[in-house]
Coordinates of all heavy atoms in Angstrom, one line a residue:
M1 N 8.5 6.9 -3.4 CA 9.5 7.7 -2.7 C 9.2 9.0 -2.9 O 9.0 9.4 -3.9 CB 11.0 7.3 -3.1 CG 12.0 8.1 -2.5 SD 13.6 7.8 -3.0 CE 13.9 6.3 -2.1
A2 N 9.2 9.8 -1.7 CA 9.0 11.2 -1.9 C 10.1 12.0 -2.5 O 11.3 11.7 -2.3 CB 8.6 11.9 -0.6
G3 N 9.8 13.1 -3.3 CA 10.8 13.8 -3.9 C 11.5 14.8 -2.9 O 11.1 14.9 -1.8
R4 N 12.5 15.5 -3.3 CA 13.1 16.5 -2.5 C 12.5 17.5 -1.9 O 12.3 17.6 -0.6 CB 14.4 17.0 -3.4 CG 15.0 18.3 -2.7 CD 15.9 17.8 -1.8 NE 16.9 19.0 -1.6 CZ 17.2 19.5 -0.3 NH1 16.7 18.9 0.7 NH2 18.0 20.5 -0.3
H5 N 11.7 18.2 -2.6 CA 10.7 19.3 -2.0 C 9.4 18.9 -2.6 O 8.7 19.6 -3.1 CB 11.0 20.7 -2.4 CG 12.4 21.2 -1.9 ND1 12.5 21.3 -0.5 CD2 13.5 21.6 -2.3 CE1 13.5 21.8 -0.2 NE2 14.3 22.0 -1.3
D6 N 8.9 17.7 -2.1 CA 7.6 17.2 -2.5 C 6.6 18.0 -1.8 O 6.6 18.3 -0.6 CB 7.6 15.8 -1.8 CG 6.3 15.1 -2.5 OD1 5.4 15.7 -2.8 OD2 6.4 13.9 -2.5
D7 N 5.6 18.6 -2.6 CA 4.7 19.6 -2.0 C 3.5 18.9 -1.3 O 2.6 19.5 -0.9 CB 4.2 20.5 -3.2 CG 3.4 19.8 -4.2 OD1 3.6 18.5 -4.3 OD2 3.0 20.4 -5.2
R8 N 3.7 17.4 -1.2 CA 2.6 16.9 -0.4 C 3.1 16.8 0.9 O 2.2 16.5 1.9 CB 2.5 15.4 -1.0 CG 1.9 15.3 -2.3 CD 1.9 13.8 -2.8 NE 3.3 13.6 -3.0 CZ 3.8 12.4 -3.4 NH1 3.0 11.4 -3.6 NH2 5.1 12.0 -3.5
R9 N 4.3 17.1 1.3 CA 4.8 17.2 2.7 C 4.2 18.5 3.2 O 4.2 19.5 2.6 CB 6.2 17.1 2.7 CG 6.8 15.9 2.3 CD 8.3 16.0 2.5 NE 9.1 14.7 2.1 CZ 10.3 14.7 1.8 NH1 11.1 15.7 1.8 NH2 10.8 13.6 1.5
P10 N 4.0 18.6 4.6 CA 3.5 19.7 5.2 C 4.7 20.9 5.1 O 5.9 20.5 5.2 CB 3.3 19.4 6.7 CG 3.7 18.0 6.7 CD 4.1 17.4 5.4
A11 N 4.2 22.0 4.9 CA 5.1 23.1 4.6 C 4.8 24.2 5.7 O 3.8 24.3 6.2 CB 5.0 23.8 3.3
R12 N 5.9 24.8 6.1 CA 5.8 25.9 7.1 C 5.8 27.2 6.5 O 6.7 27.7 5.9 CB 6.9 25.8 8.3 CG 6.8 24.6 9.0 CD 8.0 24.5 10.1 NE 8.4 23.2 10.2 CZ 9.6 23.0 10.0 NH1 10.6 23.7 9.8 NH2 10.0 21.6 10.1
G13 N 4.7 28.0 6.6 CA 4.5 29.3 6.1 C 4.1 29.4 4.6 O 4.2 28.5 3.8
W14 N 3.6 30.6 4.3 CA 3.1 30.7 2.8 C 4.2 30.6 1.8 O 4.0 30.1 0.8 CB 2.3 31.9 2.7 CG 3.0 33.2 3.0 CD1 3.2 33.8 4.1 CD2 3.8 33.9 2.0 NE1 4.1 34.9 4.0 CE2 4.5 34.9 2.6 CE3 4.2 33.7 0.6 CZ2 5.4 35.9 2.0 CZ3 5.0 34.7 0.0 CH2 5.6 35.6 0.7
R15 N 5.4 31.2 2.2 CA 6.5 31.3 1.2 C 7.0 29.8 0.9 O 7.1 29.5 -0.3 CB 7.6 32.0 1.8 CG 8.7 32.2 0.8 CD 9.8 33.1 1.3 NE 10.7 33.2 0.2 CZ 12.0 33.5 0.4 NH1 12.4 34.2 1.5 NH2 12.8 33.6 -0.7
A16 N 7.1 28.9 1.9 CA 7.5 27.6 1.6 C 6.5 27.0 0.6 O 7.1 26.2 -0.3 CB 7.5 26.9 2.9
V17 N 5.3 27.2 0.8 CA 4.4 26.6 -0.2 C 4.6 27.0 -1.5 O 4.6 26.3 -2.5 CB 2.8 26.8 0.3 CG1 1.9 26.4 -0.7 CG2 2.6 26.1 1.7
T18 N 4.7 28.3 -1.8 CA 4.8 28.9 -3.0 C 6.0 28.4 -3.7 O 5.9 28.2 -5.0 CB 4.8 30.4 -2.9 OG1 5.8 30.9 -2.2 CG2 3.5 31.0 -2.4
W19 N 7.3 28.4 -3.2 CA 8.3 27.9 -4.0 C 8.4 26.5 -4.1 O 9.0 26.1 -5.1 CB 9.7 28.6 -3.5 CG 10.2 28.3 -2.2 CD1 10.2 29.0 -0.9 CD2 11.0 27.2 -1.9 NE1 10.8 28.4 0.0 CE2 11.5 27.3 -0.6 CE3 11.5 26.1 -2.7 CZ2 12.3 26.4 0.0 CZ3 12.4 25.1 -2.1 CH2 12.8 25.2 -0.8
R20 N 8.1 25.7 -3.1 CA 8.3 24.3 -3.1 C 7.5 23.7 -4.3 O 7.9 22.7 -4.9 CB 7.8 23.7 -1.9 CG 9.0 23.8 -0.8 CD 8.3 23.3 0.5 NE 8.1 22.1 0.7 CZ 7.8 21.4 1.7 NH1 7.9 22.0 2.8 NH2 7.4 20.1 1.6
V21 N 6.3 24.3 -4.7 CA 5.6 23.7 -5.7 C 6.2 23.8 -7.1 O 6.0 23.2 -8.1 CB 4.2 24.2 -5.8 CG1 3.3 23.8 -4.6 CG2 4.0 25.7 -6.2
Q22 N 7.2 24.8 -7.1 CA 7.9 24.9 -8.5 C 9.3 24.4 -8.5 O 10.1 24.5 -9.4 CB 8.1 26.5 -8.7 CG 6.7 27.1 -9.0 CD 6.9 28.7 -9.0 OE1 7.6 29.2 -9.9 NE2 6.4 29.4 -8.1
A23 N 9.8 23.7 -7.4 CA 11.0 23.1 -7.2 C 11.4 22.2 -8.3 O 10.7 21.3 -8.5 CB 11.2 22.5 -5.8
A24 N 12.6 22.3 -8.9 CA 13.0 21.4 -10.0 C 13.3 20.0 -9.4 O 13.2 19.0 -10.1 CB 14.3 21.9 -10.6
C25 N 13.5 19.9 -8.0 CA 13.7 18.6 -7.5 C 12.6 18.0 -6.8 O 12.8 17.0 -6.2 CB 14.9 18.9 -6.3 SG 14.3 20.0 -5.1
R26 N 11.4 18.5 -7.1 CA 10.1 18.2 -6.4 C 9.9 16.7 -6.6 O 9.5 16.0 -5.5 CB 9.0 19.0 -6.9 CG 7.8 18.7 -6.1 CD 6.9 19.9 -6.4 NE 6.6 19.9 -7.8 CZ 5.6 19.2 -8.5 NH1 4.7 18.5 -7.8 NH2 5.5 19.4 -9.8
T27 N 10.3 16.0 -7.7 CA 10.0 14.7 -8.0 C 11.2 13.9 -8.1 O 11.2 12.7 -8.4 CB 9.1 14.5 -9.2 OG1 9.8 15.1 -10.2 CG2 7.8 15.2 -9.0
A28 N 12.3 14.4 -7.8 CA 13.6 13.7 -7.8 C 14.0 13.0 -6.6 O 13.3 13.3 -5.5 CB 14.8 14.7 -7.9
N29 N 14.9 12.1 -6.6 CA 15.1 11.2 -5.5 C 15.8 12.1 -4.4 O 16.8 12.8 -4.7 CB 16.3 10.2 -5.9 CG 16.8 9.4 -4.9 OD1 16.5 9.6 -3.6 ND2 17.4 8.2 -5.1
A30 N 15.1 12.3 -3.4 CA 15.7 13.2 -2.3 C 17.2 12.9 -1.7 O 17.9 13.8 -1.5 CB 14.7 13.2 -1.0
E31 N 17.6 11.7 -1.9 CA 18.9 11.3 -1.4 C 20.0 12.0 -2.2 O 21.1 12.2 -1.7 CB 19.0 9.8 -1.3 CG 18.1 9.1 -0.4 CD 18.4 7.6 -0.3 OE1 19.4 7.2 -1.0 OE2 17.4 6.9 0.0
L32 N 19.7 12.4 -3.4 CA 20.7 13.1 -4.3 C 21.2 14.4 -3.6 O 22.2 14.8 -3.8 CB 20.2 13.3 -5.7 CG 20.3 12.1 -6.8 CD1 19.6 12.7 -7.9 CD2 21.8 11.8 -6.9
W33 N 20.2 15.1 -2.9 CA 20.4 16.3 -2.3 C 21.2 16.3 -0.9 O 21.5 17.3 -0.3 CB 19.2 17.2 -2.2 CG 19.1 17.9 -3.5 CD1 19.4 19.1 -3.9 CD2 18.5 17.3 -4.7 NE1 19.0 19.4 -5.1 CE2 18.6 18.4 -5.7 CE3 18.0 16.0 -5.1 CZ2 18.1 18.2 -7.0 CZ3 17.5 15.8 -6.4 CH2 17.6 16.8 -7.2
F34 N 21.7 15.0 -0.5 CA 22.3 14.8 0.7 C 23.6 14.0 0.4 O 23.7 12.9 1.0 CB 21.5 14.2 1.8 CG 20.4 15.1 2.1 CD1 19.1 15.0 1.6 CD2 20.5 16.3 3.0 CE1 18.0 15.8 1.9 CE2 19.5 17.1 3.3 CZ 18.2 16.9 2.7
P35 N 24.4 14.3 -0.5 CA 25.5 13.5 -1.0 C 26.9 13.7 -0.2 O 26.9 14.6 0.8 CB 25.8 14.1 -2.4 CG 25.4 15.5 -2.1 CD 24.4 15.7 -1.2
L36 N 27.7 12.9 -0.5 CA 29.1 13.1 0.2 C 29.7 14.2 -0.6 O 29.4 14.5 -1.8 CB 29.9 11.8 -0.1 CG 29.4 10.5 0.7 CD1 30.4 9.4 0.4 CD2 29.5 10.9 2.2
E37 N 30.5 15.0 0.2 CA 31.2 16.1 -0.4 C 31.9 15.9 -1.5 O 32.8 14.9 -1.4 CB 31.9 16.9 0.6 CG 32.2 18.4 0.4 CD 32.7 19.2 1.5 OE1 32.0 19.0 2.5 OE2 33.7 19.8 1.4
G38 N 31.9 16.5 -2.6 CA 32.7 16.2 -3.9 C 32.3 15.0 -4.7 O 33.0 14.6 -5.7
S39 N 31.2 14.4 -4.4 CA 30.7 13.2 -5.1 C 30.1 13.4 -6.4 O 29.6 14.5 -6.6 CB 29.8 12.3 -4.1 OG 28.7 13.1 -4.0
A40 N 29.8 12.4 -7.1 CA 29.1 12.6 -8.4 C 27.7 13.0 -8.2 O 27.1 13.7 -8.9 CB 29.0 11.2 -9.1
E41 N 27.1 12.5 -7.0 CA 25.7 12.8 -6.7 C 25.6 14.5 -6.5 O 24.7 15.0 -6.8 CB 25.3 12.0 -5.4 CG 25.2 10.5 -5.7 CD 26.3 9.7 -5.8 OE1 27.3 10.2 -5.4 OE2 26.2 8.6 -6.2
E42 N 26.6 14.9 -5.8 CA 26.6 16.3 -5.4 C 26.5 17.1 -6.7 O 25.8 18.1 -6.8 CB 27.8 16.7 -4.6 CG 27.9 18.2 -4.2 CD 29.0 18.4 -3.4 OE1 29.0 18.1 -2.1 OE2 30.1 18.9 -4.1
A43 N 27.3 16.7 -7.7 CA 27.4 17.4 -8.9 C 26.1 17.3 -9.7 O 25.6 18.2 -10.4 CB 28.5 16.8 -9.9
V44 N 25.4 16.1 -9.7 CA 24.0 16.0 -10.2 C 23.0 17.0 -9.6 O 22.4 17.8 -10.2 CB 23.5 14.6 -10.1 CG1 22.1 14.5 -10.5 CG2 24.4 13.7 -11.0
A45 N 23.0 17.0 -8.2 CA 22.2 17.9 -7.5 C 22.4 19.2 -7.8 O 21.5 20.1 -8.2 CB 22.3 17.6 -5.9
K46 N 23.6 19.7 -7.9 CA 24.0 21.2 -8.2 C 23.5 21.5 -9.6 O 23.2 22.6 -9.9 CB 25.4 21.3 -7.9 CG 25.8 21.3 -6.5 CD 27.3 21.5 -6.2 CE 27.4 22.9 -5.9 NZ 28.8 23.2 -5.5
R47 N 23.7 20.4 -10.6 CA 23.3 20.7 -11.9 C 21.7 21.0 -12.0 O 21.2 21.9 -12.7 CB 23.7 19.6 -12.8 CG 23.6 19.9 -14.3 CD 24.3 18.8 -15.1 NE 25.4 18.1 -14.6 CZ 25.4 16.8 -14.4 NH1 24.5 16.1 -14.7 NH2 26.5 16.3 -13.9
V48 N 21.0 20.2 -11.3 CA 19.5 20.4 -11.2 C 19.2 21.8 -10.6 O 18.3 22.5 -11.1 CB 18.7 19.2 -10.5 CG1 17.4 19.5 -10.3 CG2 19.0 17.9 -11.2
C49 N 19.8 22.1 -9.5 CA 19.6 23.4 -8.9 C 19.9 24.5 -9.9 O 19.2 25.6 -9.8 CB 20.5 23.5 -7.7 SG 20.1 22.5 -6.3
S50 N 20.9 24.3 -10.7 CA 21.2 25.6 -11.6 C 20.2 25.9 -12.4 O 20.2 27.0 -12.9 CB 22.6 25.2 -12.3 OG 22.4 24.3 -13.3
G51 N 19.3 25.0 -12.8 CA 18.2 25.4 -13.7 C 16.9 25.6 -12.9 O 15.8 25.7 -13.7
C52 N 16.9 25.7 -11.7 CA 15.6 25.7 -10.9 C 15.1 27.0 -10.8 O 15.8 28.1 -10.5 CB 16.0 25.1 -9.5 SG 14.6 25.1 -8.3
P53 N 13.9 27.2 -11.1 CA 13.3 28.5 -11.1 C 13.0 29.1 -9.6 O 12.9 30.3 -9.6 CB 12.0 28.3 -11.7 CG 11.5 27.0 -11.4 CD 12.9 26.2 -11.4
V54 N 13.2 28.3 -8.7 CA 13.1 29.0 -7.3 C 14.4 28.8 -6.4 O 14.3 28.8 -5.2 CB 12.0 28.3 -6.5 CG1 10.6 28.4 -7.2 CG2 12.1 26.7 -6.5
R55 N 15.5 28.8 -7.3 CA 16.8 28.7 -6.5 C 17.1 29.6 -5.4 O 17.6 29.4 -4.3 CB 17.9 28.7 -7.6 CG 19.2 28.4 -7.0 CD 20.3 28.4 -8.1 NE 21.6 28.3 -7.4 CZ 22.9 28.5 -8.2 NH1 22.7 28.5 -9.4 NH2 24.0 28.3 -7.5
E56 N 16.8 30.9 -5.9 CA 17.0 31.9 -4.8 C 16.3 31.8 -3.5 O 16.7 32.0 -2.3 CB 16.8 33.3 -5.5 CG 17.3 34.5 -4.8 CD 17.1 35.9 -5.5 OE1 17.4 35.9 -6.7 OE2 16.5 36.9 -4.8
A57 N 14.9 31.6 -3.7 CA 14.1 31.4 -2.4 C 14.6 30.2 -1.7 O 14.6 30.1 -0.4 CB 12.6 31.2 -2.9
C58 N 14.9 29.1 -2.3 CA 15.5 28.0 -1.6 C 16.6 28.3 -0.9 O 16.7 28.0 0.3 CB 15.7 26.8 -2.7 SG 16.4 25.3 -2.0
L59 N 17.6 29.0 -1.5 CA 18.9 29.3 -0.8 C 18.7 30.2 0.4 O 19.1 30.1 1.4 CB 19.8 30.0 -1.8 CG 21.2 30.4 -1.3 CD1 21.8 29.2 -0.6 CD2 22.0 31.0 -2.4
D60 N 17.7 31.2 0.1 CA 17.3 32.2 1.2 C 16.9 31.4 2.5 O 17.3 31.7 3.5 CB 16.4 33.2 0.7 CG 16.9 34.3 -0.2 OD1 18.1 34.4 -0.3 OD2 16.2 35.0 -0.8
D61 N 15.9 30.5 2.2 CA 15.3 29.8 3.3 C 16.3 28.9 4.1 O 16.3 28.9 5.3 CB 14.2 28.9 2.8 CG 12.9 29.8 2.7 OD1 12.9 31.0 2.8 OD2 11.8 29.1 2.2
A62 N 17.2 28.3 3.2 CA 18.2 27.4 3.8 C 19.2 28.5 4.7 O 19.6 27.9 5.9 CB 19.1 26.7 2.9
L63 N 19.5 29.6 4.2 CA 20.3 30.5 5.0 C 19.7 30.9 6.2 O 20.4 30.9 7.2 CB 20.8 31.6 4.1 CG 21.8 31.2 2.9 CD1 22.1 32.5 2.0 CD2 23.2 30.7 3.5
A64 N 18.5 31.2 6.0 CA 17.7 31.9 7.2 C 17.5 30.7 8.3 O 17.5 31.2 9.5 CB 16.3 32.3 6.7
A65 N 17.4 29.5 7.9 CA 17.2 28.5 8.8 C 18.5 27.9 9.4 O 18.4 27.1 10.4 CB 16.2 27.4 8.2
G66 N 19.5 28.3 8.8 CA 20.9 27.8 9.4 C 21.1 26.4 8.9 O 21.8 25.6 9.8
I67 N 20.5 26.0 7.8 CA 20.7 24.4 7.4 C 22.1 24.2 7.0 O 22.5 24.8 6.0 CB 19.6 24.1 6.4 CG1 18.2 24.3 7.0 CG2 19.7 22.6 6.0 CD1 17.1 24.1 5.9
D68 N 22.8 23.4 7.7 CA 24.2 23.1 7.4 C 24.3 21.8 6.6 O 25.6 21.4 6.3 CB 25.0 23.2 8.6 CG 25.2 24.5 9.1 OD1 25.2 25.4 8.4 OD2 25.6 24.7 10.3
F69 N 23.4 21.1 6.2 CA 23.7 19.9 5.5 C 22.8 19.8 4.2 O 21.8 20.5 4.1 CB 23.2 18.7 6.5 CG 21.9 18.8 6.9 CD1 20.9 18.2 6.2 CD2 21.6 19.5 8.1 CE1 19.4 18.5 6.7 CE2 20.4 19.7 8.6 CZ 19.3 19.1 8.0
G70 N 23.4 19.1 3.3 CA 22.6 18.9 1.9 C 22.8 20.0 1.0 O 23.3 21.1 1.3
V71 N 22.4 19.9 -0.2 CA 22.4 20.9 -1.2 C 21.2 21.7 -1.2 O 20.1 21.1 -1.4 CB 22.8 20.2 -2.7 CG1 22.7 21.3 -3.7 CG2 24.1 19.6 -2.7
W72 N 21.3 22.9 -1.1 CA 20.0 23.7 -1.1 C 20.3 25.0 -1.9 O 21.5 25.7 -1.7 CB 19.7 24.4 0.4 CG 19.1 23.3 1.2 CD1 19.7 22.2 1.8 CD2 17.6 23.2 1.7 NE1 18.8 21.6 2.6 CE2 17.6 22.1 2.5 CE3 16.6 23.9 1.5 CZ2 16.3 21.7 3.1 CZ3 15.3 23.7 2.1 CH2 15.3 22.6 2.9
G73 N 19.6 25.3 -2.8 CA 19.8 26.5 -3.6 C 21.1 26.5 -4.4 O 21.7 27.4 -4.9
G74 N 21.6 25.1 -4.8 CA 22.8 24.9 -5.5 C 24.0 25.1 -4.7 O 25.1 24.9 -5.3
L75 N 23.9 25.3 -3.5 CA 25.2 25.2 -2.7 C 25.2 24.1 -1.6 O 24.1 23.8 -1.1 CB 25.2 26.6 -1.9 CG 25.3 28.0 -2.7 CD1 25.5 29.1 -1.8 CD2 26.5 27.8 -3.6
T76 N 26.3 23.7 -1.4 CA 26.6 22.6 -0.3 C 26.5 23.4 1.0 O 26.6 24.6 1.1 CB 27.8 21.9 -0.5 OG1 28.9 22.9 -0.2 CG2 28.0 21.3 -1.8
G77 N 26.4 22.6 2.2 CA 26.5 23.1 3.4 C 27.6 23.9 3.6 O 27.6 25.0 4.2
A78 N 28.9 23.5 3.3 CA 30.1 24.2 3.4 C 30.2 25.5 2.7 O 30.5 26.5 3.1 CB 31.3 23.3 3.0
E79 N 29.5 25.4 1.5 CA 29.4 26.7 0.7 C 28.5 27.7 1.4 O 28.8 28.9 1.3 CB 28.9 26.4 -0.7 CG 30.1 25.6 -1.6 CD 29.4 25.1 -2.8 OE1 28.4 24.7 -2.9 OE2 30.4 24.9 -3.8
R80 N 27.4 27.3 1.9 CA 26.6 28.2 2.7 C 27.2 28.7 3.9 O 26.9 29.9 4.1 CB 25.2 27.5 3.0 CG 24.4 27.1 1.7 CD 23.0 26.7 2.1 NE 22.9 25.6 2.9 CZ 23.0 24.4 2.7 NH1 23.1 24.0 1.4 NH2 22.9 23.4 3.6
R81 N 28.0 27.9 4.6 CA 28.6 28.3 5.7 C 29.7 29.5 5.4 O 29.7 30.6 6.1 CB 29.3 27.2 6.6 CG 28.4 26.4 7.4 CD 29.2 25.4 8.2 NE 30.0 24.5 7.5 CZ 29.6 23.4 7.0 NH1 28.3 23.1 7.2 NH2 30.4 22.5 6.5
Q82 N 30.3 29.3 4.2 CA 31.3 30.2 3.7 C 30.5 31.5 3.3 O 31.0 32.6 3.7 CB 32.1 29.7 2.6 CG 33.1 30.6 2.1 CD 33.9 30.0 1.0 OE1 33.5 29.0 0.4 NE2 34.9 30.8 0.5
L83 N 29.4 31.4 2.8 CA 28.5 32.6 2.4 C 28.2 33.5 3.4 O 28.2 34.6 3.6 CB 27.4 32.2 1.5 CG 26.6 33.2 0.9 CD1 27.3 34.0 -0.1 CD2 25.4 32.5 0.2
R84 N 27.6 32.7 4.6 CA 27.2 33.3 5.9 C 28.3 34.1 6.5 O 28.2 35.1 6.9 CB 26.6 32.4 6.8 CG 25.1 32.0 6.6 CD 24.5 31.4 7.7 NE 25.2 30.2 8.2 CZ 24.8 29.1 7.7 NH1 23.9 28.7 6.9 NH2 25.4 27.9 8.2
R85 N 29.5 33.4 6.4 CA 30.7 34.2 7.1 C 31.0 35.5 6.2 O 31.4 36.6 6.9 CB 32.0 33.3 7.2 CG 31.9 32.3 8.2 CD 33.3 31.6 8.2 NE 33.7 30.9 7.2 CZ 33.5 29.6 6.9 NH1 32.8 28.9 7.8 NH2 34.0 29.1 5.9
Q86 N 30.9 35.4 4.9 CA 31.1 36.6 4.1 C 30.2 37.5 4.3 O 30.4 38.8 4.0 CB 31.2 36.2 2.6 CG 32.5 35.3 2.3 CD 32.5 34.7 0.9 OE1 31.3 34.8 0.2 NE2 33.5 34.0 0.5
D87 N 28.9 37.3 4.6 CA 27.8 38.2 4.8 C 27.7 38.9 6.1 O 27.1 39.8 6.3 CB 26.4 37.3 4.7 CG 25.8 37.7 3.2 OD1 26.5 38.3 2.4 OD2 24.8 37.0 3.1
T88 N 28.7 38.3 7.1 CA 28.7 39.0 8.4 C 29.2 40.4 8.3 O 30.2 40.7 7.7 CB 29.6 38.1 9.2 OG1 29.1 36.9 9.3 CG2 29.6 38.8 10.6
V89 N 28.4 41.4 8.9 CA 28.8 42.7 8.8 C 29.5 43.0 10.2 O 29.0 42.7 11.2 CB 27.6 43.7 8.8 CG1 28.0 45.1 8.9 CG2 26.9 43.4 7.4
V90 N 30.8 43.4 10.1 CA 31.6 43.8 11.3 C 31.4 45.3 11.7 O 31.7 46.1 10.9 CB 33.1 43.5 11.1 CG1 33.8 43.8 12.5 CG2 33.2 42.0 10.9
V91 N 30.8 45.4 12.8 CA 30.6 46.9 13.2 C 31.8 47.3 14.2 O 31.9 46.8 15.1 CB 29.2 47.0 13.9 CG1 29.0 48.5 14.4 CG2 28.1 46.5 13.1
P92 N 32.5 48.4 13.6 CA 33.5 48.8 14.6 C 33.1 49.3 15.9 O 32.0 49.8 16.0 CB 34.1 50.0 13.7 CG 33.2 50.3 12.5 CD 32.1 49.1 12.5
A93 N 33.8 49.0 17.0 CA 33.5 49.3 18.3 C 33.7 51.0 18.5 O 34.3 51.5 17.7 CB 34.3 48.6 19.3
Ligands
SF4_1 S1 17.5 25.1 -5.8 FE1 17.9 22.9 -5.9 S2 17.3 22.2 -3.8 FE2 16.3 24.1 -4.0 S3 14.3 23.8 -4.8 FE3 15.6 24.1 -6.7 S4 16.3 22.1 -7.2 FE4 15.5 21.9 -5.2

């Protein structure tokens, strides 16, 4: 079974290649990163992410790509949507 960010999978762009090879989840069961919200599996995935050396790059790419499912960069899809809303700059008319 392939890991979460298995570097044997094709990657898009140089940045994806560089951070994926250091991913803490590279050899872990990929299904853990697509858990039910609030489940024990979600807590396990977030714990692994918390010690991952490429967490920031992973989160940046998930935010840039608008990925709304699974745990990326230690955040769930709902948490990333909330973060994107907070990041929105409102320009007065
Ligand atoms: S932050 Fe989490 S999902 Fe992202 S590469 Fe690291 S362990 Fe994997």
Side-chain angles (χ1 to χ4, degrees):
M1 174 179 287
R4 164 77 158 129
H5 286 304
D6 191 335
D7 59 351
R8 291 171 298 175
R9 291 181 182 164
R12 290 183 218 124
W14 64 270
R15 185 174 177 194
V17 172
T18 58
W19 70 258
R20 283 172 57 170
V21 296
Q22 298 175 62
C25 59
R26 190 167 52 94
T27 57
N29 180 352
E31 291 180 21
L32 277 177
W33 274 263
F34 298 97
L36 292 175
E37 202 167 310
S39 67
E41 289 81 7
E42 181 181 277
V44 170
K46 291 179 92 169
R47 196 173 324 122
V48 174
C49 290
S50 72
C52 178
V54 293
R55 181 177 175 183
E56 193 175 315
C58 176
L59 179 58
D60 283 352
D61 281 4
L63 290 170
I67 300 170
D68 281 343
F69 54 93
V71 175
W72 288 70
L75 299 182
T76 64
E79 290 168 335
R80 290 192 304 277
R81 283 191 296 278
Q82 183 178 7
L83 186 61
R84 275 198 301 270
R85 282 194 300 271
Q86 292 169 350
D87 260 358
T88 302
V89 176
V90 178
V91 179

